[in-house]
Amino acid sequence: MPETTPKGLTRLAFGGDYNPEQWPESVWHEDVRLMREAGVTMVSVGIFSWALLEPAPGEYDFGWLDRILGLLHENGIRVDLGTPTVAPPAWFYRAHPEALPVTAEGVRYEFGSRGAICHSDADYRAAAADITTRLAERYGDHPALAMWHVHNEYGVPVSACYCDSCAAHFRRWLAGTYGTVDGVNEAWGTAFWGQHYTDLAQINPPRVTPTVVNPGQALDYKRFADATIRENFRAERDILHRLSPGVPVTTNFMTALSQCDSMDYWAWGREVDLVTNDHYLITDGRRTHVNLAMAADLTRSVASGAPWLLLEHSTSGVNWQPRNPAKAPGQMARNSLAHVARGSDGAMFFQWRQSRRGAEKFHSAMLPHGGTETRVWREVVELGASLDSLSQIQGTRTRADVAVLWDWQSWWAQNLQWRPSEDHDPRERADAFYETLYDRHLTVDFAHPESDLSAYPLVVVPALYLMTEAAGDNLREYVENGGTLVVSYFSGIVDEHDAVHEGAYPGTLRDVLGLTVEEFSPLLQNQRVRLTGPDGSELTGDVWTEFVVPAGAETVWTYADGLTAGRPAVTRHQLGEGTAWYVSTRLDAHGLDALIGWAAEDARIAPRAELPRDVEVVRRAGDSGNFLFAINHTATDAKVPLEAHGTELLTGERAAGRLAVPAGAVRVVRLDA
């Protein structure tokens, strides 16, 4: 079995992308000296260096990389070595312009950015395999090598190409998936609008058409594009496994729903030896620490609960959003340790030294333009010391309380054209339900709809428009065996081909929810409806309503106005030993909190009201002990109850009773056995 932890790294990973090629060699020794001062344990090298490593076809220059790897090794700094296949050189594109991707509108991109790759192009594949082989042969047993880093942020900024090479590759993929053209016709429902094919050769990618393209074709092309990119990752990974045995191979994901929507990370998580992730705060006015927690929980879940690694985030502001505020004092450490609390075995950044040139010169770094006399540098040094004091948590696992079901392929299908309402956003529902669980101080695992859910007392389904029969059976079994399920509207509607399940809505969920839906009734923009409960209390919904017909479920809340007035809005169904809740409108934060509160009672999850809002408490446990992370995102000092005595690792103080967590601070307690 391949190694799943960075080779030779005995402490938590701390460092960042290091791009020595941007600087004269006279700077390298200063860099390494400052890395040691900051407590850096690992850096990522060579990710964008193809043009320097192979300055002309078949001509290689590894001297500079030899020297920097040797210098890092001499100073005890481990290396995450990149294969530079995200950025082929200009000479490659001059020789092979067809390797540049083509948009659905037929426009071929130009060289001059990054990630401009047609992943079906045979010349790109051959060149990527060659440079990867050369690197593995030269550095596969280098004493500094901790792990291999293939490519960079697959799917960003280009996830699909629509050129003729991709068309031919797509037809081969369809033949492998469906066997015959008749299988494609059946899956895509081509009898509609006269789209029937008599030969696979007639099929092209879903390029621009006069109106909506066939949704089955569009969904399959998203699957094909993701699978094609994954093929290229596997090709490089297998070269590295063969030539550099015992060294884990990864690629950096972007699991946050705010950052990448084109990769099926459930599938990707099975391909890497170690799950790694890049995360950047989206400063859109939301509580950014909630998005951070959600991304960390999602990454850990893609890793099947195993420790993962935060491979990139920012020390302060980024440079690619409309407005890029700096992080507040202490926020960098708080963000970093929040990722660690939720399963990361370290905190890495983009990048080590802030660039003077190029597109990201205003992106913050560990060593800013202002050097070591800056607040950011001082906080970097402090964080390095903090992570060093937490080394004993390495390899432990985060403990979750509940599960949220999520499926990237369902998200793809939901976001195709011509749905009942453009205001229904599956990401928004996932964010909203997650935030409700976060505010109830519940740690979340994400799970695929067909995965084993037996460990969770409560499972939440915020948006699963596409649901297979197997997933429906899985949820019914979960509830029958005593689980508590919460399902939001427009879930369980279609199968894996975007075909509506036979019979009444909600398809595979009818039995477990104990109801049918006669008709969707989306609301107009800014229209709202009132819901009334048996005690006369009210909730508010918007965006969506439905004509729900109970078939065993009891009505808990009823629509008070609108077309569905008098009809069930929220239902509860007892099935076997468990309970299934259904909500047929978009509840606001107050309504979601009430709904989750009722479901939590069914699941016998005790309320945690003694914890202040925006104070996280997360637990990691393993052979080295039980650890409690308390993270205070507020401007007020907080007290966190402890179930046992322990030692606070950042200060070295003993802790008992109620743990004091200063405003904006983090405390980590190793609980006594």
Side-chain angles (χ1 to χ4, degrees):
M1 292 290 291
E3 290 295 323
T4 59
T5 58
K7 183 179 179 182
L9 189 63
T10 58
R11 295 178 290 166
L12 296 178
F14 178 57
D17 284 35
Y18 182 37
N19 299 290
E21 62 271 29
Q22 296 181 17
W23 305 93
E25 289 199 32
S26 59
V27 176
W28 297 1
H29 288 274
E30 178 190 11
D31 279 331
V32 172
R33 177 182 64 80
L34 291 174
M35 287 178 190
R36 294 187 63 178
E37 180 179 327
V40 166
T41 61
M42 186 168 73
V43 293
S44 301
V45 175
I47 296 168
F48 293 98
S49 62
W50 193 344
L52 297 180
L53 293 170
E54 190 178 5
E59 297 180 13
Y60 303 96
D61 179 7
F62 294 109
W64 68 272
L65 189 53
D66 290 346
R67 293 191 295 278
I68 194 62
L69 293 188
L71 181 61
L72 291 166
H73 175 62
E74 290 168 9
N75 285 273
I77 299 169
R78 308 297 294 160
V79 173
D80 166 38
L81 185 57
T83 67
T85 51
V86 68
W91 61 255
F92 172 81
Y93 285 122
R94 179 60 64 91
H96 306 288
E98 70 284 352
L100 288 162
V102 175
T103 68
E105 294 78 15
V107 176
R108 189 178 296 278
Y109 287 115
E110 279 288 348
F111 173 79
S113 181
R114 69 171 192 179
I117 296 165
C118 168
H119 282 274
S120 293
D121 184 75
D123 293 311
Y124 168 76
R125 290 183 169 206
D130 177 73
I131 191 64
T132 299
T133 299
R134 302 278 178 170
L135 285 165
E137 288 175 341
R138 191 174 189 91
Y139 302 111
D141 60 355
H142 195 285
L145 183 63
M147 53 193 266
W148 288 101
H149 181 311
V150 172
H151 205 269
N152 183 73
E153 296 179 347
Y154 278 114
V156 179
V158 178
S159 61
C161 172
Y162 297 81
C163 72
D164 289 341
S165 292
C166 288
H169 193 179
F170 184 43
R171 294 178 200 119
R172 295 192 298 272
W173 183 87
L174 291 171
T177 301
Y178 296 109
T180 66
V181 69
D182 290 338
V184 176
N185 284 320
E186 174 64 22
W188 293 359
T190 56
F192 187 80
W193 277 3
Q195 296 170 345
H196 190 80
Y197 298 100
T198 57
D199 193 305
L200 288 173
Q202 299 165 359
I203 299 175
N204 278 322
R207 295 165 176 155
V208 172
T209 57
T211 185
V212 178
V213 75
N214 182 296
Q217 178 189 14
L219 178 58
D220 265 349
Y221 203 74
K222 289 179 180 293
R223 291 174 173 139
F224 158 76
D226 174 54
T228 299
I229 294 173
R230 213 159 49 245
E231 284 178 16
N232 285 355
F233 168 77
R234 281 197 298 265
E236 293 190 45
R237 178 202 64 192
D238 291 349
I239 291 169
L240 297 169
H241 277 168
R242 177 170 54 86
L243 297 176
S244 184
V247 180
V249 180
T250 190
T251 185
N252 45 337
F253 297 166
M254 298 191 75
T255 63
L257 306 185
S258 55
Q259 291 175 288
C260 183
D261 63 358
S262 57
M263 301 289 99
D264 181 357
Y265 284 121
W266 293 127
W268 278 90
R270 296 189 291 270
E271 301 291 353
V272 297
D273 300 331
L274 166 67
V275 167
T276 64
N277 195 52
D278 297 353
H279 182 264
Y280 294 97
L281 301 180
I282 303 299
T283 51
D284 59 0
R286 305 188 193 191
R287 298 154 71 202
T288 56
H289 55 278
V290 179
N291 175 273
L292 185 158
M294 183 176 178
D297 284 344
L298 191 50
T299 307
R300 182 186 68 253
S301 302
V302 167
S304 300
W308 55 279
L309 179 57
L310 176 66
L311 207 53
E312 286 185 28
H313 72 312
S314 66
T315 57
S316 191
V318 297
N319 72 308
W320 39 264
Q321 297 183 74
R323 287 157 291 279
N324 299 284
K327 290 185 177 179
Q331 186 179 0
M332 177 184 65
R334 195 164 62 250
N335 289 166
S336 300
L337 295 176
H339 283 289
V340 173
R342 294 176 185 272
S344 176
D345 269 1
M348 305 275 286
F349 295 91
F350 180 85
Q351 59 181 321
W352 163 252
R353 182 184 283 269
Q354 193 169 13
S355 300
R356 291 184 56 225
R357 298 174 177 85
E360 295 186 282
K361 57 183 170 287
F362 297 119
H363 190 296
S364 61
M366 299 175 76
L367 183 59
H369 289 145
T372 58
E373 299 302 317
T374 58
R375 171 180 68 88
V376 166
W377 172 255
R378 289 190 291 273
E379 292 192 17
V380 163
V381 174
E382 291 172 5
L383 177 59
S386 294
L387 288 171
D388 188 56
S389 69
L390 299 180
S391 292
Q392 59 190 290
I393 72 156
Q394 190 174 16
T396 60
R397 293 189 172 218
T398 300
R399 291 178 171 175
D401 302 300
V402 300
V404 169
L405 299 194
W406 181 256
D407 182 15
W408 277 274
Q409 295 195 24
S410 177
W411 193 16
W412 300 343
Q414 169 68 71
N415 285 341
L416 297 175
Q417 294 173 288
W418 285 15
R419 299 304 184 229
S421 174
E422 66 177 16
D423 294 327
H424 171 49
D425 178 357
R427 179 201 153 189
E428 182 279 331
R429 282 294 81 187
D431 286 345
F433 272 91
Y434 182 90
E435 190 164 0
T436 298
L437 295 165
Y438 178 95
D439 283 341
R440 285 184 163 264
H441 303 284
L442 298 173
T443 302
V444 172
D445 274 349
F446 286 84
H448 187 275
E450 296 179 17
S451 64
D452 181 9
L453 304 172
S454 59
Y456 305 104
L458 174 64
V459 171
V460 176
V461 182
L464 276 179
Y465 160 76
L466 183 155
M467 186 176 288
T468 63
E469 291 284 351
D473 292 343
N474 189 43
L475 293 184
R476 184 175 62 251
E477 180 180 357
Y478 166 75
V479 174
E480 287 176 338
N481 289 334
T484 300
L485 179 69
V486 177
V487 178
S488 187
Y489 63 89
F490 207 44
S491 293
I493 305 302
V494 300
D495 66 12
E496 59 270 32
H497 304 299
D498 198 46
V500 174
H501 288 288
E502 288 191 23
Y505 309 131
T508 56
L509 293 172
R510 288 191 299 262
D511 293 343
V512 69
L513 296 176
L515 55 82
T516 60
V517 174
E518 287 185 346
E519 190 177 2
F520 307 131
S521 185
L523 300 177
L524 299 179
Q525 191 172 19
N526 299 321
Q527 185 180 1
R528 288 175 172 76
V529 291
R530 291 181 300 112
L531 286 62
T532 57
D535 58 356
S537 57
E538 290 191 355
L539 301 177
T540 301
D542 66 0
V543 171
W544 192 275
T545 61
E546 294 176 343
F547 290 90
V548 174
V549 180
E554 61 175 302
T555 299
V556 181
W557 288 77
T558 304
Y559 288 112
D561 50 25
L563 287 180
T564 54
R567 296 272 192 150
V570 177
T571 62
R572 178 178 181 271
H573 183 221
Q574 290 185 287
L575 181 67
E577 300 298 317
T579 306
W581 289 81
Y582 184 63
V583 54
S584 62
T585 187
R586 190 176 81 162
L587 295 176
D588 59 16
H590 170 69
L592 283 181
D593 181 68
L595 173 66
I596 294 299
W598 300 323
E601 288 183 15
D602 281 344
R604 296 180 177 84
I605 297 174
R608 297 171 182 174
E610 74 276 10
L611 292 174
R613 189 173 192 258
D614 289 328
V615 175
E616 294 182 39
V617 174
V618 185
R619 291 166 174 79
R620 287 185 65 160
D623 292 342
S624 58
N626 294 322
F627 304 88
L628 180 145
F629 286 74
I631 306 168
N632 187 352
H633 295 284
T634 77
T636 305
D637 295 349
K639 297 279 191 179
V640 171
L642 296 176
E643 64 266 29
H645 294 195
T647 300
E648 204 289 306
L649 299 180
L650 300 178
T651 63
E653 298 174 354
R654 290 292 293 169
R658 296 180 68 82
L659 174 69
V661 187
V666 179
R667 293 292 181 262
V668 183
V669 178
R670 186 184 190 281
L671 299 171
D672 295 342

